[in-house]
Amino acid sequence: MHIQDEIAMQGAQSLTIPKDKTILHHASQEDLMIMLNLVKPEYYMPVKGEYRLMVNNANLASSLGMTPDKIILKQNGDIVEFIDGKLQDKFETMTVEDVLIDGKSSDDVGELVIKDREMLGENGIMLISATLDKQTKRILVGPEITTRGFIYVKDSLEMLEEIKRIATEIIDANTTPNYVDYNQIKNEIRESLSKYFYHETECKPMIIAVIQEV
């Protein structure tokens, strides 16, 4: 989105390909086989994915006739050295530190994850949990409220009681002795509490409802 903004500021127009018109970014086995047959590399080094996936990738190259000494399997921090186009037969490593995710580099997590983190940082999170009796479908424990980054519990006892009242009414309204509509309960709790929180605090915390039976 930031890149598109910069493009627009320069007076140019950018086009976005709809998700249903794009293809997966990971190559299939057939794609890799075509690439190997076309490029015919002297050395082959898988560098993307979990180690077991790189092993599968290496096995694919082996099945096409590449010898094991031409296939390189390394992990993060392992050093590969070539001199005059020849792989050196030695093993060295370097320390690789963790990378902090801030949404600014190309290999970060997706934009939606970053938005979730921003929302959690600005508005906090609230978890509403309740345990129902498996036989009668009535509430045994709860609703219990857990909140982080939203309100200070000791200063918001009246609000917590109102949250419990709203959640209890929604659970009771969607419960019969024979059936519990879990999806409806969770959706209604999120919708009702979102409106209540915004009216009371003008904040929109992330709301998670957990309903279980014992």
Side-chain angles (χ1 to χ4, degrees):
M1 298 300 291
H2 294 298
I3 294 176
Q4 289 178 310
D5 287 342
E6 294 293 335
I7 293 174
M9 290 177 184
Q10 299 301 319
Q13 182 181 6
S14 63
L15 299 177
T16 302
I17 301 175
K19 290 184 178 180
D20 60 346
K21 300 297 183 183
T22 60
I23 60 176
L24 294 174
H25 300 294
H26 298 286
S28 65
Q29 288 190 359
E30 290 76 13
D31 294 331
L32 295 172
M33 292 171 69
I34 292 173
M35 179 196 69
L36 286 165
N37 285 324
L38 289 175
V39 178
K40 300 186 184 304
E42 183 175 353
Y43 294 96
Y44 188 60
M45 181 176 173
V47 295
K48 180 69 174 177
E50 298 173 356
Y51 192 80
R52 59 184 172 81
L53 301 178
M54 292 194 292
V55 170
N56 291 339
N57 199 335
N59 290 338
L60 183 66
S62 179
S63 70
L64 294 178
M66 292 197 71
T67 57
D69 61 314
K70 299 294 185 179
I71 300 173
I72 306 169
L73 279 175
K74 296 291 184 178
Q75 300 188 66
N76 291 344
D78 293 343
I79 296 174
V80 178
E81 183 178 358
F82 289 86
I83 297 179
D84 295 328
K86 297 296 182 182
L87 177 66
Q88 301 305 297
D89 186 18
K90 58 182 181 179
F91 183 80
E92 296 179 356
T93 62
M94 62 182 294
T95 301
V96 179
E97 302 291 345
D98 293 334
V99 177
L100 298 179
I101 304 298
D102 60 6
K104 296 181 179 179
S105 62
S106 60
D107 56 353
D108 274 357
V109 296
E111 182 179 344
L112 290 177
V113 176
I114 297 298
K115 286 184 177 179
D116 283 346
R117 292 177 179 176
E118 290 175 350
M119 185 176 74
L120 287 172
E122 294 173 0
N123 297 299
I125 183 173
M126 175 162 286
L127 172 68
I128 297 93
S129 61
T131 302
L132 309 184
D133 186 288
K134 191 172 184 179
Q135 302 298 325
T136 65
K137 310 300 183 186
R138 307 315 299 170
I139 298 175
L140 284 179
V141 180
E144 296 181 337
I145 312 299
T146 304
T147 179
R148 293 291 183 273
F150 174 46
I151 56 175
Y152 183 54
V153 173
K154 291 183 178 180
D155 292 340
S156 307
L157 296 180
E158 291 185 5
M159 178 178 287
L160 291 177
E161 290 302 317
E162 181 64 12
I163 294 169
K164 292 180 181 179
R165 185 192 66 78
I166 293 173
T168 300
E169 287 186 356
I170 292 172
I171 294 172
D172 290 340
N174 292 278
T175 302
T176 69
N178 300 316
Y179 179 71
V180 179
D181 193 336
Y182 291 104
N183 289 331
Q184 186 67 19
I185 290 174
K186 294 175 183 179
N187 290 335
E188 286 192 20
I189 286 177
R190 283 194 294 265
E191 292 175 5
S192 298
L193 291 182
S194 291
K195 294 177 182 178
Y196 173 68
F197 293 149
Y198 190 76
H199 179 268
E200 294 293 325
T201 67
E202 294 189 358
C203 291
K204 294 183 177 180
M206 180 176 290
I207 301 169
I208 300 176
V210 178
I211 311 298
Q212 60 186 354
E213 290 183 3
V214 294

